[in-house]
Amino acid sequence: MDQSHGRIYTFHFIMLCLSNALFSASYNMMLPDLPAYLSSMGGEQYKGYILALFTLMAGLSRPFSGKLTDTVGRVPVMIFGSVICVICSLLYPLVSTVAAFLLLRFFHGFSTGFKPTGTAAYVADIVPNTRRAEAMGMVGLFSTIGMALGPAIGGYVTSIWDIHVMFQLSAVFALLSVVILVGGMKETLPNKQSFRLSTLRISKSEIFEPLVLAPVIVTFITYYSYGVLFTIIPDFSAYVGLPPASKGLFYTFFTASSISIRLLAGKVSDRYGRLPVLKIATVIMAVGVFTLGVAHSPAMMLTAAVIYGVSVGLNSPAVTAWTIDLGRPEHKGRALASMYIAQEAGIGIGAYLSAFVYHNDSRFFPLTFYSTAIVTLAATVYLIFIYQNRRMQTVKQFVFSPGKWFQR
């Protein structure tokens, strides 16, 4: 597809953004109510599995979504992810046991294992390289809008009617995302292949793209905190005194601040580079999580939400653009899948370990947040002291031993 004239805001790009917002709202509207829903079945001790199982399946499916994105096409992969969301949303009201619920959450992870991979590759195809992070920021902005509106809409619908109506509305949002993809998106993959079962055979080299190891490491560390917060915040909101109807307020403040910074962050990343933005983002992220550790009021908690949202708004477009920068053009899907595997692994491990540390005991809130802040700072340490040093060593090897490089 034409990337000339530096244009971003084409019809296909706008439709993709809208589809992303609907898809994001569909599965995020469940998050505030799922812990209580699982507890009503007698599965209170399994709260950490709500995100962990979802992200586990998303991570396991990434090598397949990456390969299919690079062979069958971007649009079919996006459609498949959205359709899974429709089906799973309609099945939630039918489950009545803890085991069935956890199994459904596991399979629901297929949706985010496919849709974002196809979306990011599609964006990389249709926008100029010099505005890549800006475009990723805009797509992420619409996803974040969905993330904000979803919990707010879901909480409102559940309080007025019941959780089953909320599940049905989630299916409607996902279905609208599919309609946009089917009716308004033109495939961008050149020489795409027809789907065959043999396409699902994944070799070792197709699981991970080694060229994008650095953004993979940063993604894993930073999304650990995401898994922690989205597991603990519903209970923490009640702890600091927010009423049940306002338990989605953290997500609203987090999303609003993330939205406010994304476009500027993408432009800054395109102009000054990915690393400076990521170093700043990881420090701000650690500060946001630490602030939650000292929060004892709704005002402090929402302040932390704003700080954390700014960090995510800085981090997400930069690390996604960095991944595409480093990967091979013909393997965009594989590179992005590698990054998203790290994302899901970080979220899943963060969700599981935070539930283990917190252990449904409010006395452990500070410990949970402080330890998460320390983990987050590891990304800053990596970018400044490890990745930067390796780059300098590579430059020195090229300057002082050029023969070795020309022999490769």
Side-chain angles (χ1 to χ4, degrees):
M1 190 167 286
D2 185 18
Q3 293 182 324
S4 62
H5 310 300
R7 294 182 61 202
I8 288 181
Y9 303 105
T10 61
F11 172 78
H12 291 94
F13 182 79
I14 294 171
M15 287 295 98
L16 187 66
C17 288
L18 181 58
S19 173
N20 241 31
L22 290 166
F23 174 78
S24 178
S26 172
Y27 72 87
N28 276 294
M29 73 170 58
M30 302 180 181
L31 289 180
D33 292 294
L34 286 183
Y37 188 62
L38 180 59
S39 296
S40 69
M41 299 179 190
E44 181 175 301
Q45 67 271 36
Y46 299 108
K47 287 180 182 177
Y49 288 83
I50 291 174
L51 267 180
L53 288 173
F54 185 88
T55 54
L56 174 61
M57 173 54 84
L60 291 174
S61 65
R62 289 292 183 186
F64 299 96
S65 67
K67 183 174 182 179
L68 290 172
T69 296
D70 289 334
T71 54
V72 176
R74 323 310 197 190
V75 175
V77 167
M78 290 190 285
I79 291 174
F80 179 77
S82 296
V83 168
I84 290 295
C85 240
V86 175
I87 295 171
C88 289
S89 296
L90 293 174
L91 290 177
Y92 277 105
L94 304 181
V95 301
S96 56
T97 66
V98 172
F101 174 89
L102 295 177
L103 183 63
L104 183 57
R105 280 301 290 173
F106 182 65
F107 283 106
H108 198 167
F110 260 120
S111 60
T112 55
F114 275 74
K115 179 69 162 62
T117 306
T119 298
Y122 194 98
V123 172
D125 290 342
I126 66 175
V127 303
N129 297 343
T130 54
R131 300 182 69 184
R132 181 173 285 161
E134 181 185 352
M136 293 298 176
M138 176 58 76
V139 172
L141 184 150
F142 274 81
S143 293
T144 308
I145 290 174
M147 185 186 300
L149 293 179
I153 294 171
Y156 177 78
V157 170
T158 300
S159 65
I160 298 298
W161 290 283
D162 60 35
I163 196 169
H164 291 171
V165 176
M166 184 271 290
F167 288 139
Q168 293 165 1
L169 184 62
S170 172
V172 170
F173 273 54
L175 183 60
L176 290 174
S177 176
V178 175
V179 170
I180 291 173
L181 293 171
V182 172
M185 306 306 295
K186 178 181 177 182
E187 181 57 57
T188 59
L189 178 67
N191 305 317
K192 68 172 188 172
Q193 306 170 18
S194 300
F195 174 77
R196 297 186 299 271
L197 287 178
S198 59
T199 311
L200 297 178
R201 295 174 186 167
I202 304 293
S203 65
K204 290 182 180 180
S205 63
E206 293 172 323
I207 296 176
F208 180 76
E209 177 54 70
L211 293 176
V212 299
L213 177 61
V216 161
I217 291 173
V218 173
T219 298
F220 172 78
I221 296 173
T222 53
Y223 274 86
Y224 175 92
S225 64
Y226 192 93
V228 172
L229 267 57
F230 277 74
T231 300
I232 302 299
I233 287 301
D235 287 355
F236 189 65
S237 297
Y239 170 74
V240 298
L242 280 176
S246 301
K247 60 188 172 184
L249 207 54
F250 177 92
Y251 307 110
T252 302
F253 275 70
F254 153 76
T255 304
S257 63
S258 180
I259 288 172
S260 67
I261 200 70
R262 277 184 182 268
L263 288 183
L264 176 63
K267 291 180 179 180
V268 170
S269 174
D270 285 331
R271 182 170 183 178
Y272 297 104
R274 320 304 184 198
L275 290 180
V277 173
L278 289 172
K279 291 172 186 176
I280 294 170
T282 52
V283 172
I284 295 175
M285 186 175 291
V287 171
V289 178
F290 181 86
T291 304
L292 284 171
V294 299
H296 294 285
S297 68
M300 280 292 289
M301 187 194 76
L302 296 179
T303 299
V306 171
I307 297 171
Y308 188 79
V310 168
S311 73
V312 173
L314 289 168
N315 179 78
S316 181
V319 78
T320 305
W322 192 25
T323 301
I324 298 171
D325 293 343
L326 296 180
R328 297 182 180 91
E330 69 273 18
H331 291 153
K332 288 176 185 174
R334 184 188 303 174
L336 289 163
S338 299
M339 184 201 73
Y340 284 123
I341 289 172
Q343 185 181 110
E344 264 95 46
I347 293 173
I349 293 174
Y352 178 78
L353 291 182
S354 64
F356 177 79
V357 175
Y358 163 48
H359 207 62
N360 291 311
D361 189 333
S362 60
R363 293 176 300 172
F364 297 124
F365 278 133
L367 175 62
T368 304
F369 294 130
Y370 294 152
S371 60
T372 303
I374 293 172
V375 171
T376 303
L377 281 175
T380 313
V381 172
Y382 172 77
L383 288 169
I384 295 176
F385 298 105
I386 301 176
Y387 180 73
Q388 198 82 10
N389 287 342
R390 286 179 179 174
R391 289 182 70 198
M392 290 304 299
Q393 289 172 6
T394 301
V395 171
K396 289 178 181 178
Q397 287 174 4
F398 180 79
V399 172
F400 296 108
S401 303
K404 295 181 179 179
W405 289 81
F406 290 115
Q407 290 170 8
R408 292 185 178 185

